[in-house]
Amino acid sequence: MRIVNSYTGNPMINNALMTIKALAGLSNIQDITTELLQSMIRKVCDKLPYSLKDLNLRFKSYTMLFTKNGPLYNDKKLGEKIYENLLFDIVSGFENDGERQCNLTGLRFSKSFSEFMLDTLVKLGVPANEAKKKDLTLNRCWIPLLGGLGSDAQSLPMAKQTYEIHPICVVLLQFLPLSAFIYKKGILLIDSTALEFSEDFVEENVTIIVDKAKEVVSTGAPIENMKGSFKGHFVLQALKVFDKVKVDCGNAEVNLWSFSNSGAGANCSIDRIPNDLLKRLSKLRNLHRGETENILSNPTISSAFIECFSDKKEWY
């Protein structure tokens, strides 16, 4: 069964869909089906023939995305079985009709995440009365930056109503570590008005991380975060991708999201790269390719250069 017909208005879900599309070598996200997701939970891709569970136990970026409080890291007895069985149960029970509507994707559904979690625990042998006492809520362990019922944010009028989120979102987001780069000490999300640009940008990141993981995973060592990337690096990558996919920079904007979901320091910030800046940088790069790329590639000077160039001030 097909999961989505188009991208959503949520950058996190969109990046997850793009990650799955790249891993599976698909031409369109409409080809993401329940059958494909079940296969990828068992084996992420041909180049990285390991289960999603085993890889997420190795990715250091996983806890930045989903904290250490979920069953995969916080339940030594049943955690791995809960994690994997829950994902399979959600996919096999996928529905696109019902009385509820997802606030992230617009998909309709009836069976909630909490109901799936309870059923999974009971199926694994946890007595129903004990299972009901466990944390069955959809929280930051499953959806990054999602507020919990005990959060101070719940005192705000906009937070009075609990979010409705389709359980399939939990499964989709579990693939994010396979495209996660570090930006400004947080996880990078790419968001653009040019979707073909975002798709290619994420695909490049997936290729790099899969190649890195392939080298490391057989040794038993953790898969370290992709560090050291800065705004100039990603701006230059954006310009190269725009060239590659033949997208007009003058009609596109790019947002670089940096977020962390771990601990009490959970936060999110956005660096906006407007179309005017991209257009002028593209023109400058076409005139002085070598010098422009050298500046943008230099972490010491690139940020000041971009700031001055954006404000149309002198830079030296």
Side-chain angles (χ1 to χ4, degrees):
M1 184 185 294
R2 178 184 294 174
I3 302 297
V4 294
N5 290 315
S6 61
Y7 284 110
T8 72
N10 185 279
M12 204 172 291
I13 298 294
N14 286 352
N15 273 241
L17 289 169
M18 291 173 190
T19 301
I20 295 167
K21 174 179 176 289
L23 287 167
L26 304 177
S27 58
N28 196 300
I29 60 165
Q30 291 185 356
D31 297 326
I32 298 175
T33 63
T34 52
E35 294 80 11
L36 175 70
L37 289 178
Q38 288 173 332
S39 173
M40 293 179 71
I41 292 170
R42 294 188 185 94
K43 184 179 77 171
V44 166
C45 64
D46 290 337
K47 288 186 69 176
L48 203 56
Y50 301 91
S51 72
L52 184 61
K53 168 183 67 68
D54 289 342
L55 288 173
N56 279 340
L57 280 167
R58 307 283 293 282
F59 276 114
K60 284 198 169 183
S61 62
Y62 184 86
T63 56
M64 291 182 69
L65 282 158
F66 302 105
T67 80
K68 291 183 178 180
N69 298 322
L72 189 59
Y73 279 77
N74 199 35
D75 187 336
K76 299 299 182 184
K77 184 179 179 181
L78 279 178
E80 293 184 27
K81 289 183 178 179
I82 292 171
Y83 177 84
E84 198 159 57
N85 277 272
L86 177 64
L87 298 189
F88 278 123
D89 289 349
I90 289 173
V91 174
S92 62
F94 174 75
E95 51 192 352
N96 56 14
D97 193 19
E99 70 278 7
R100 295 183 169 110
Q101 185 168 24
C102 178
N103 294 122
L104 301 184
T105 64
L107 292 171
R108 303 200 73 88
F109 65 105
S110 294
K111 189 171 181 178
S112 69
F113 172 84
S114 297
E115 292 171 306
F116 274 110
M117 176 63 92
L118 179 61
D119 288 351
T120 297
L121 290 172
V122 172
K123 187 173 71 173
L124 291 173
V126 180
N129 59 334
E130 290 184 23
K132 290 177 182 178
K133 296 176 184 178
K134 293 185 177 291
D135 186 2
L136 306 176
T137 60
L138 188 57
N139 51 38
R140 282 173 51 200
C141 301
W142 301 107
I143 306 289
L145 302 180
L146 185 71
L149 290 178
S151 168
D152 291 340
Q154 295 297 317
S155 63
L156 298 173
M158 69 184 74
K160 289 292 185 183
Q161 184 176 349
T162 303
Y163 255 48
E164 292 279 16
I165 297 180
H166 197 299
I168 199 66
C169 293
V170 169
V171 179
L172 299 176
L173 291 171
Q174 294 302 306
F175 289 90
L176 277 179
L178 287 137
S179 64
F181 269 62
I182 301 300
Y183 174 56
K184 295 172 66 174
K185 299 182 180 180
I187 299 291
L188 172 72
L189 285 180
I190 189 73
D191 180 29
S192 175
T193 52
L195 284 173
E196 58 268 54
F197 158 78
S198 297
E199 287 182 329
D200 208 86
F201 193 103
V202 170
E203 184 177 346
E204 287 193 5
N205 289 351
V206 167
T207 299
I208 293 169
I209 290 176
V210 166
D211 287 344
K212 178 183 178 180
K214 187 178 178 182
E215 293 175 1
V216 174
V217 73
S218 60
T219 68
I223 305 169
E224 299 288 342
N225 292 332
M226 296 298 294
K227 299 178 180 177
S229 296
F230 48 96
K231 186 172 183 177
H233 166 87
F234 289 119
V235 169
L236 179 57
Q237 183 180 348
L239 293 173
K240 290 179 178 179
V241 171
F242 274 123
D243 283 350
K244 180 180 176 182
V245 298
K246 307 298 182 185
V247 175
D248 183 3
C249 294
N251 295 319
E253 292 188 352
V254 174
N255 294 326
L256 301 176
W257 295 62
S258 172
F259 79 93
S260 174
N261 190 40
S262 58
N267 62 82
C268 179
S269 63
I270 307 174
D271 276 348
R272 304 191 186 280
I273 308 173
N275 55 16
D276 177 65
L277 176 59
L278 283 171
K279 188 175 183 179
R280 290 191 292 116
L281 279 171
S282 179
K283 184 176 180 180
L284 180 67
R285 179 169 170 262
N286 288 336
L287 292 173
H288 308 284
R289 185 171 297 266
E291 188 174 0
T292 303
E293 293 189 356
N294 286 338
I295 292 171
L296 292 175
S297 301
N298 189 323
T300 306
I301 62 175
S302 61
S303 293
F305 168 76
I306 293 171
E307 184 178 345
C308 290
F309 196 77
S310 177
D311 295 338
K312 298 180 182 179
K313 296 178 181 177
E314 289 187 7
W315 175 80
Y316 53 90

